[in-house]
Amino acid sequence: MDVSPTQHVALIGFRGAGKSTIAPHLAALAGVEAFDADRELEAAAGRSIREIFAQDGEAHFRDLETKLLQTLLDRPPAVLSLGGGVILREVNRSLLRRCFTVWLDAPRDVILSRLALDLAKSDQRPSLTGLSPAEEVAKLLEERAPIYAKCADFTVDTSRYSAEEAAETIWKEWKTHAATGDKR
Ligand code: S3P
């Protein structure tokens, strides 16, 4: 089946769930662009996320995140790799209803070991709770998992697939969704 995407695919999920890794594979399969919300936000603000959190606080970051999500949704259909906390605000959850939204899930220990291994990014990630990494992941995953589930049209456990396989699975589902016009 050859279906051109008419909706964005929004990748949601916790830090370390695989959003940025899977996004380019999915974009290549669909023949669309991939945008990483965190990187776009940093480019627009001219500061790193860590700096924004440190200088202006999380609430300001969340305002910028909502603005950016609106900007991304005004572009032609693309793969949107969104920050892990995008599902926290109702306005964002409502915007996500315009997308085919995919929750990239993974067990807590897998997320923790991916975050520990991702040294290049560890300096850029502001603490969200002031807790140790293990406690933060446990607390926030428990709080957020029901919200990710509620926002998602489709869920992939990324610990069970390579990035390429996960992208193939999502692309197949995205095409079916586009063809049947499924709505939550
Ligand atoms: C956040 C996740 C980060 C980034 C910011 C806040 C969160 O994105 O948006 O540090 O609240 O979970 P990634 O999930 O892409 O690391």
Side-chain angles (χ1 to χ4, degrees):
M1 186 176 24
D2 185 19
V3 178
S4 303
T6 54
Q7 264 187 320
H8 297 273
V9 65
L11 301 181
I12 60 169
F14 204 74
R15 290 169 168 172
K19 294 166 292 179
S20 310
T21 314
I22 291 167
H25 294 290
L26 181 56
L29 287 172
V32 299
E33 282 200 80
F35 298 108
D36 185 308
D38 288 346
R39 302 294 80 78
E40 294 268 328
L41 191 152
E42 290 183 323
R47 290 184 289 169
S48 69
I49 289 174
R50 203 186 175 88
E51 284 168 335
I52 298 169
F53 266 69
Q55 293 163 5
D56 298 321
E58 181 174 348
H60 180 67
F61 167 77
R62 298 293 172 202
D63 290 341
L64 297 177
E65 186 174 51
T66 296
K67 232 182 186 165
L68 180 74
L69 180 57
Q70 282 161 337
T71 305
L72 293 175
L73 290 179
D74 284 341
R75 295 182 187 167
V79 176
L80 311 179
S81 172
L82 302 176
V86 75
I87 44 77
L88 295 176
R89 286 197 169 175
E90 171 53 34
V91 57
N92 298 346
R93 295 197 291 271
S94 164
L95 289 168
L96 284 175
R97 288 192 203 107
R98 289 160 49 184
C99 306
F100 176 55
T101 301
V102 180
W103 175 21
L104 301 184
D105 190 19
R108 185 174 70 186
D109 54 328
V110 172
I111 288 193
L112 257 178
S113 59
R114 283 187 190 154
L115 291 180
L117 284 172
D118 193 359
L119 294 175
K121 274 200 184 164
S122 61
D123 278 357
Q124 300 166 23
R125 292 195 165 107
S127 168
L128 299 166
T129 56
L131 297 169
S132 72
E135 288 168 331
E136 176 163 298
V137 170
K139 178 178 190 298
L140 294 186
L141 261 186
E142 194 180 325
E143 283 173 16
R144 292 179 179 182
I147 316 178
Y148 289 132
K150 212 166 161 198
C151 291
D153 294 300
F154 185 58
T155 300
V156 176
D157 177 347
T158 61
S159 68
R160 300 177 53 208
Y161 304 102
S162 68
E164 290 85 351
E165 287 165 348
E168 287 277 359
T169 307
I170 297 166
W171 174 224
K172 228 168 97 190
E173 198 66 26
W174 187 8
K175 283 192 286 190
T176 309
H177 184 91
T180 60
D182 275 357
K183 276 267 154 272
R184 259 172 294 155

